């Protein structure tokens, strides 16, 4: 370019002085498209005029004197080589700036301990707070978050969501399987699938690789809560519970478990304000029940008709704990409900291991025996157990239907347990001996 170079530092200083004196900007050319736009402020702007695809374009190359004449010429020559190769130097500069900004952003996030944008962890945390937290209970949300934090983020958290494929995700899940947590591995896969589907909706990825792993994990072995369902064994249990020699509150919880048919967590959180002994009805707020978050907030309460035996036990217990909030307070403080292991420990004390009978097993016991021994309609039993039914309309009906049928069922069930405890030869409606 030497032959076309017209400027010198002396000429540039003269042009700047002239602009300062006249108060008017002026342009001086160095040839090959390089121009210095001199301002009255004493600063000049280096600009390169070039043509690409038949269109005139302009590129800034810096300011004088910060960018010297020789530097401006070097930048001009590089830009002209890019143009000759069919590359637009303006677009290339924009891309470089964007890349630098992205690197700076990633470094800032890393310094703050945050995942890069578009990474598995970033999208997963967005899904957790935006979608998951609004759909499930706080406990469920916490468990999902901890599973992702412990079993997924350390391995693929920083990876771009769109780049994670099925084999890579499977390797993550295999680590969970390797420690024997088969059910957890399936739950982690399900959570990852929801993250990918959220990523598809938000444009962070194009597909869900978790869907390709449907048959890749070891199957979960179905586990049921241990429960007694043979009349002779249930009779022995009822007699043992009646003779329980431990704390009075624990004995009451043990005896009421088969009469109320609540889940252990629901039973131990019971409050006296929910019980109407005169009406023979326990009204459990929807927020305490095992439901979706929306149903916990908006769903109706769960009604538990109280058999005469349940009313009698509660009346006795009211004399002991009735001045407090909880029906079954903790032994150490009436400000808290009893421990989740209280009924289980009482069963252990009576000689029943986890493989024989559990606190949750009272519900399975009732579900089986009410249907098989007392011929109670399954939908009535399911309504009392507060089991969800497939469709939303059915759920709405089942929580308010069958109240009268359930009243009769709960009394029949309590009477049946009494007769078993007393050793009677119970003959159900269908005529089969118990």
């Amino acid at each position: 370019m030497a032959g076309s170079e017209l400027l010198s530092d002396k000429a540039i200083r003269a042009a700047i002085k002239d602009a300062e004196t006249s108060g008017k900007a002026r342009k001086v050319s160095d040839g090959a498209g390089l121009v210095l736009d001199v301002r009255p402020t004493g600063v000049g702007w280096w600009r390169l005029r070039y043509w690409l695809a038949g269109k005139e374009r302009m590129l800034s190359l810096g300011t004088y004197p910060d960018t010297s004449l020789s530097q401006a010429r070097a930048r001009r020559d590089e830009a002209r080589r890019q143009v000759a190769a069919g590359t637009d130097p303006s677009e290339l500069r924009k891309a470089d700036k964007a890349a630098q900004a992205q690197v700076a952003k990633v470094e800032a996030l890393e310094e703050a301990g945050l995942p890069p944008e578009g990474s598995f962890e970033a999208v997963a945390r967005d899904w957790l707070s935006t979608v998951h937290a609004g759909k499930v209970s706080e406990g469920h949300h916490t468990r999902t978050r901890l599973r992702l934090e412990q079993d997924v983020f350390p391995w693929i958290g920083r990876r771009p969501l769109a780049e994670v494929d099925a084999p890579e995700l499977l390797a993550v899940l295999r680590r969970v399987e390797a420690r024997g947590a088969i059910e957890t591995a399936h739950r982690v896969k399900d959570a990852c699938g929801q993250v990918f589907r959220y990523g598809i909706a938000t444009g962070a990825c194009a597909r869900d690789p978790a869907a390709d792993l449907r048959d890749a994990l070891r199957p979960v072995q179905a586990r049921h809560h241990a429960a007694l369902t043979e009349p002779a064994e249930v009779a022995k249990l009822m007699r043992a519970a009646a003779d329980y020699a431990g704390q009075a509150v624990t004995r009451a919880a043990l005896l009421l478990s088969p009469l109320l048919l609540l889940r252990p967590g629901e039973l131990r959180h019971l409050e006296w304000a929910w019980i109407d002994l005169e009406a023979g009805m326990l009204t459990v707020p929807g927020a305490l029940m095992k439901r979706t978050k929306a149903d916990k907030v908006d769903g109706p309460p769960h009604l538990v008709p109280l058999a005469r035996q349940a009313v009698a036990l509660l009346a006795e217990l009211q004399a002991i704990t009735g001045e407090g909030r909880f029906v079954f307070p903790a032994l150490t403080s009436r400000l808290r409900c009893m421990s989740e292991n209280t009924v289980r420990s009482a069963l252990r004390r009576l000689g029943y291991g986890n493989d024989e009978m559990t606190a949750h097993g009272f519900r399975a016991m009732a579900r089986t025996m009410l249907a098989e021994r007392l011929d109670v309609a399954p939908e009535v039993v399911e309504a009392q157990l507060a089991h969800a039914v497939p469709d939303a309309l059915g759920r709405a009906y089942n929580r308010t239907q069958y109240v009268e049928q359930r009243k009769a069922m709960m009394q029949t069930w309590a009477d049946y347990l009494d007769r078993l405890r007393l050793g009677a030869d119970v003959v159900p409606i269908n005529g089969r001996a118990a």
Side-chain angles (χ1 to χ4, degrees), residues 6 9 18 92 126 131 156 160 246 285 291 297 382 384 403 419 421:
L6 307 175
D9 286 323
D18 182 54
L92 185 61
D126 187 23
V131 177
I156 60 173
R291 299 175 179 174
V297 175
E382 295 300 303
Q384 190 56 60
V403 174
R419 290 197 292 275
R421 177 175 56 82

Side-chain angles (χ1 to χ4, degrees), residues 2-22:
S4 62
E5 292 171 351
L6 307 175
L7 290 177
S8 65
D9 286 323
K10 182 178 179 180
I12 292 172
R13 288 194 295 271
I16 290 175
K17 184 176 180 180
D18 182 54
E20 290 176 331
T21 302
S22 65

Side-chain angles (χ1 to χ4, degrees), residues 126-411:
D126 187 23
W127 167 75
L128 282 167
S129 61
T130 304
V131 177
H132 195 57
K135 292 174 60 177
V136 301
S137 67
E138 184 177 348
H140 186 171
H141 175 263
T142 299
R143 287 191 295 274
T144 302
R145 176 179 57 78
L146 289 175
R147 288 189 187 112
L148 291 173
E149 289 178 346
Q150 295 170 1
D151 294 322
V152 183
F153 293 167
W155 314 110
I156 60 173
R158 267 23 184 198
R159 294 271 289 126
L161 186 72
E163 295 181 13
V164 178
D165 57 19
E168 188 174 10
L169 180 59
L170 180 60
V172 172
L173 299 174
R174 287 279 189 249
R175 290 186 177 93
V176 183
E177 273 191 333
R179 66 172 189 260
I182 309 303
E183 184 174 352
T184 298
H186 282 267
R187 293 185 184 277
V188 170
K189 180 181 78 68
D190 292 342
C192 289
Q194 294 183 70
V195 172
F196 282 110
R197 291 193 293 276
Y198 180 70
I200 293 171
T202 58
C205 65
R207 64 183 309 277
D208 169 21
D212 299 330
L213 304 180
R214 179 182 302 175
D215 300 316
L217 297 177
R218 290 161 55 187
V220 177
Q221 299 299 320
R223 293 182 302 168
H224 301 286
H225 295 287
L228 303 175
T229 57
E230 289 300 320
E233 293 299 323
V234 173
K236 288 172 57 178
L237 173 62
M238 292 298 100
R239 285 192 287 271
D243 293 337
Y244 183 78
Q247 294 285 337
V249 173
T250 302
R251 177 178 180 274
L254 185 61
L255 292 172
L256 284 166
S257 290
L259 296 178
L260 302 183
L261 302 183
L262 293 169
R263 298 176 179 88
E266 297 161 358
L267 180 81
R268 69 191 189 91
H269 282 96
L270 287 183
E271 299 184 18
W272 283 112
W274 306 342
I275 297 175
D276 187 338
L277 292 179
E278 186 175 345
M281 186 65 70
L282 164 62
T283 303
V284 184
L288 186 66
M289 304 303 295
K290 183 180 179 180
R291 299 175 179 174
T292 65
K293 189 170 184 177
D295 283 342
K296 282 178 177 286
V297 175
D298 300 323
H302 177 58
L303 302 179
V304 181
L306 301 175
R308 292 186 298 274
Q309 293 88 332
V311 170
L313 285 168
L314 287 167
E316 292 178 10
L317 186 59
Q318 193 173 42
I320 302 173
T321 69
E323 293 183 359
R325 171 186 173 186
F326 294 107
V327 177
F328 305 106
L331 296 177
T332 55
S333 172
R334 295 203 171 190
L335 299 178
R336 296 181 289 114
C337 65
M338 68 181 183
S339 163
E340 60 182 337
N341 292 318
T342 300
V343 174
R344 179 190 299 177
S345 297
L347 287 168
R348 300 296 83 77
R349 185 171 177 177
L350 294 177
Y352 291 94
N354 279 329
D355 58 343
E356 296 177 284
M357 187 64 187
T358 64
H360 206 289
F362 285 112
R363 289 165 55 84
M365 180 178 80
R367 186 182 188 187
T368 299
M369 299 185 76
L370 281 167
E372 293 185 357
R373 304 287 171 175
L374 301 178
D375 276 348
V376 178
E379 58 269 25
V380 178
V381 180
E382 295 300 303
Q384 190 56 60
L385 295 176
H387 283 163
V389 295
D391 62 280
L393 183 60
R395 288 197 299 272
Y397 274 107
N398 260 16
R399 286 179 184 161
T400 55
Q401 268 185 330
Y402 311 123
V403 174
E404 294 304 316
Q405 294 94 324
R406 286 193 281 137
K407 286 181 180 179
M409 179 192 75
M410 295 296 272
Q411 187 59 58

Side-chain angles (χ1 to χ4, degrees), residues 39-56:
R39 304 296 176 86
T41 57
V43 175
W45 291 84
W46 292 110
R47 303 189 192 282
L48 174 66
R49 179 182 291 111
Y50 65 98
W51 284 261
L52 190 65
K55 293 184 179 179
E56 181 182 354

